[in-house]
Structure formats: structure tokens, C-alpha cells
Amino acid sequence: MAGAELIGQEEIREVMEVMETGILMRYEFHDQRKGVYKVAEFERAFAEYLRVSHTLGVTSGSAALKVALTALDVGPGDEVIVPAFDFIATYEAVLEVGAIPVMTDIDDTFNLDPKAIEGRLSPCTKAIIPVHMCGAPARIEEIMVLARKHNLLVLEDNAQACGGSVAGKMLGTFGDMGIMSFDFFKTITTGEGGMVVTDSKHLYDRSDWYHDHGHDHNPAVGRALEGRTILGFNYRMNELQGALGLAQLRKLDFIIAEQKKNKALLKEALGGVPGIKFRTLVDPEGDTSTFLGFSLPEESAAKSFQKALKDYGVDSIYYKENAWHYAPRWEHLIAGATANSKGYPFTNPMYKGKVDYSVEHIPNAEDLLGRSLFMIVPVKMSEERKEIIVKGIEKASKLI
Ligand SMILES: *Cc1c(COP(=O)(O)O)cnc(C)c1O
């Protein structure tokens, strides 16, 4: 639960500063807001944290994906490479802009396999979305090389590894664009919220325009007189979210440090489990440690270990059968059941490709997720809870 575990006086103080002005919108009302611009301040602080040129707060991580894909001009007729192990929002965002998500295999990092990407390219491929799942980086440096070779755009979905890095460079800043989510389950939270990040002024401008009905946010004129180049929509972050984001961002390094300690404890307890192999980390330093992933030699061992853990009060996640995180489980996607009765964009005549969601394209995901479990690593763990977990793991490991 990460940031949500730590909501306290700092968040209350930040939110109250907004409430005392009464101005909940990020734009306008300059005379009434007494210098309080929380979203703008959060964006600046976040840009500094990531060492990136441009950041844009939006209403959610899903909205951030849609805004970024729109800024990148990914749309009808295009295909986008996405990992089979993911959260469904990445696929939905691609479909929302009229493009087609292409389910691609993962490797022992549990993230997009660079070696599998080439086999999934087609003349329609426009972009790759590496997703840094469960707190830890994808092989982003290799993916960038591959993308440049094939002239493809890269949008990093960093909803799940906010604060993570590879070789000291922050996740979300490798690709042409990156996104974060601040929903209630994420590493830091604004209730609902998201961020678009990029080093490109052009891509930032397009994001900025699109997320607010095309407004160019020209400070020299009032909102009613602002210019516009493209049509947009409303994905504006509000001041309460900005306030929460500021308080939470200050806690991010602490959150990661505590999770690292707790993860080390769990890892040590699991060390004695017969045949266990921990998830490969591209850069252990840059792991945010929100999750601990491991595999056992067989599917039956993973399932019986999960059951035994449960009996001793220890929860774990078996993602192969998870309804929201594994593409072959999305019966509505596979049926082409988009949110409109026409089945657009699968039925769009501008789309010349042929997408195929059968599992034969993802042998590693089928094998690996079939015999792997994940544990959520909390920020706060009482001594009692630690003892229950460590003892539970010990007892359960004797049963497999
Ligand atoms: C949570 C999440 C999203 C969407 O974020 P929301 O803020 O919940 O809309 C997108 N991608 C991944 C990988 C996620 O985990």
C-alpha cells in the first residue's frame, strides 16, 4: 500500500493550505489564491526529483498514458508493443487512442523481453510501452537501443516503480515520454492522479494542450483568450491532488528505504525454500522494493506453497490467474469487446495488421507466471507481523 500507509499531518497541512484559499483549480484566480499553486509546485518538485525537463500532472495514470500516446501521435492504424504481464490500463490507453496493443512476452525480470520484441514487430508498429512492473525496472537500456534501431517511439509506463532507477537514471526518463500513477495503491498517492514526464518541449506542449481542451496556457492573456492549435479534453489535476503529491513526494525516499529493509527480511526468510529462484533485478539499487517476486521449479509447487502460506496467515499473489494483470485472462479484450458497439479500433479499416492474443506468442510468461508468486512489501511492518511472516514462511516451506 506504500504511500497510503503514511498519510498524516503533512498531507493534512498541505491540503488545508488549499482549502484556506478556496481555489481548487490549478489555473486562474490569481488574486484569490494567495500565491498557492500546488499542482505547479508538485510538477516542479517532481521534475527535480526525476531530473527531467517537463512534468504534467493529470487525473490518473490511465489518463497520463492516453495524454502521452496522443502527444506522441500514436493513433488509428498503429500497433504498440506491450508486455503480457501488465495492468490492463496500458492496453486500454492504446485502444483509447485508436491504436492496437500487441501482447509481447516477458523474461526473468518479469518485464518486457527485448528478445521477444523483434518477433512482434510489423509494418504497423509505431511504439513500445515497457512497463516497470511490481516495483522493478525492465531492461530499459536494451529496449531503447532496439527502439532506436527500428525507429520506434518509447513510452515508459512507470505506474508501479515510481522512484526506481537503472544505473542512477530515474525510470520514466529513458523513453521519449514516461508516466506515473498516484492512485491509492501506488508508491505515492494523491487519491487518484498521474504525471506525464518528458525531456521534449514539443511533446510536453502537445500533452499540455491536449489535457486541457487545447488551451496554450499563455500567461500574458486570461484563460478565455488563450490560443489553441489542437482539440483536447479534460485531464487536469486539481489543487488538492497537487497538495497531497507534494507531501507524499517528500516521503518517497523514506518509503523505498523502508521497503528495502522489509524486503531483505522476507528474502532471507524465503532463502531456505527448496528450488526457489528470486526475480532477476536489472539494477538491485534501483528496485523500489514494493514487491518480492520468486519462482519455484513447478506450477504445483507454487500453488501448494501459496496455499500453505495462506494457512499460516501470509498472503501472496499468483499472477497467472489474476483477472487484471495477465493479458490472456482478459476475455473482453480477446473478444474485441471495446467500449463501443462497433468494436473500434479493432474493426477500423485504417488498421492493416492482424492482432493475435493467443498464448503461443508468450511462452516465457506462461511458464514463469505459472510457477511464480509475489508478496507485497509493506512500508510499515510491526515486530509481531514480521514474526508471523517469517515463521509462516518457515513452516510453509516444509510442506512443498
Ligand atoms: C495503476 C496502473 C496504471 C493506471 O494508473 P491509474 O492511476 O490507476 O489510472 C497504468 N499502468 C500500470 C502498470 C498500473 O499499475
Side-chain angles (χ1 to χ4, degrees), residues 91 131 209 212 234 237 290 296 321 333 346 353 367 388 391:
Y91 284 64
V131 183
W209 301 339
D212 185 21
N234 175 8
M237 182 177 262
T290 46
L296 295 174
E321 285 167 9
L333 171 85
F346 290 111
D367 167 53
I388 290 171
K391 290 241 168 78

Side-chain angles (χ1 to χ4, degrees), residues 86-399:
D86 195 352
F87 176 59
I88 198 165
T90 321
Y91 284 64
E92 289 172 329
V94 171
L95 293 163
E96 280 280 311
V97 299
I100 304 294
V102 175
M103 178 183 78
T104 304
D105 212 354
I106 59 170
D107 63 18
D108 57 353
T109 65
F110 288 80
N111 291 318
L112 205 51
D113 179 2
K115 289 195 282 299
I117 293 174
E118 279 184 319
R120 299 296 271 157
L121 301 179
S122 85
C124 306
T125 315
K126 173 101 174 239
I128 305 174
I129 308 185
V131 183
H132 306 294
M133 283 296 285
C134 297
R139 297 189 194 277
I140 189 66
E141 292 174 315
E142 289 169 57
I143 292 169
M144 289 310 298
V145 171
L146 199 76
R148 293 303 173 240
K149 178 177 151 199
H150 293 283
N151 204 18
L152 300 171
L153 297 163
V154 175
L155 166 59
E156 285 175 83
D157 180 340
N158 194 31
Q160 294 200 10
C162 184
S165 60
V166 170
K169 186 170 166 63
M170 302 304 284
L171 298 181
T173 69
F174 285 85
D176 298 284
M177 301 189 85
I179 71 96
M180 314 281 159
S181 161
F182 310 125
D183 82 21
F184 200 57
F185 302 99
K186 297 304 200 298
T187 319
I188 58 172
T189 185
T190 59
E192 300 284 358
M195 189 81 83
V196 175
V197 316
T198 181
D199 275 319
S200 158
K201 170 82 164 75
H202 170 69
L203 294 173
Y204 168 77
D205 283 343
R206 284 182 54 83
S207 303
D208 183 40
W209 301 339
Y210 177 69
H211 105 295
D212 185 21
H213 305 295
H215 279 273
D216 70 0
H217 304 127
N218 176 0
V221 298
R223 190 165 168 80
L225 297 176
E226 282 171 351
R228 58 273 177 113
T229 312
I230 55 169
L231 291 164
F233 212 63
N234 175 8
Y235 295 110
R236 292 187 303 265
M237 182 177 262
N238 73 49
E239 288 288 281
L240 298 172
Q241 292 168 301
L244 288 165
L246 277 165
Q248 287 265 302
L249 179 60
R250 290 183 206 117
K251 299 179 180 182
L252 180 52
D253 286 338
F254 171 78
I255 289 169
I256 294 173
E258 291 302 297
Q259 287 176 168
K260 275 192 192 305
K261 285 188 224 161
N262 290 330
K263 183 168 174 172
L265 182 112
L266 295 174
K267 210 169 164 177
E268 195 186 312
L270 285 163
V273 176
I276 193 165
K277 188 174 176 302
F278 292 104
R279 176 186 189 183
T280 298
L281 296 173
V282 174
D283 180 352
E285 285 278 299
D287 171 23
T288 65
S289 298
T290 46
F291 285 84
L292 171 60
F294 57 90
S295 316
L296 295 174
E298 305 287 341
E299 191 155 324
S300 57
K303 284 185 168 168
S304 61
F305 189 50
Q306 183 182 41
K307 187 175 177 307
L309 282 173
K310 178 105 193 122
D311 291 344
Y312 293 116
V314 182
D315 288 325
S316 63
I317 307 167
Y318 182 71
Y319 276 116
K320 192 170 178 186
E321 285 167 9
N322 185 288
W324 297 100
H325 291 89
Y326 188 41
R329 298 285 91 82
W330 303 337
E331 70 287 351
H332 48 336
L333 171 85
I334 291 160
T338 56
N340 59 83
S341 64
K342 314 287 191 305
Y344 174 90
F346 290 111
T347 50
N348 182 2
M350 282 174 83
Y351 177 52
K352 306 295 182 204
K354 199 169 170 357
V355 74
D356 175 3
Y357 293 119
S358 59
V359 294
E360 71 196 56
H361 297 291
I362 53 166
N364 292 341
E366 282 283 289
D367 167 53
L368 201 55
L369 293 176
R371 52 192 179 80
S372 300
L373 298 176
F374 278 76
M375 293 172 82
I376 295 176
V377 180
V379 183
K380 292 183 187 169
M381 225 165 145
S382 67
E383 291 307 316
E384 282 159 273
R385 185 71 198 139
K386 281 181 192 165
E387 203 174 306
I388 290 171
I389 294 176
V390 170
K391 290 241 168 78
I393 291 171
E394 252 170 50
K395 288 189 215 154
S397 66
K398 296 208 176 80
L399 298 177

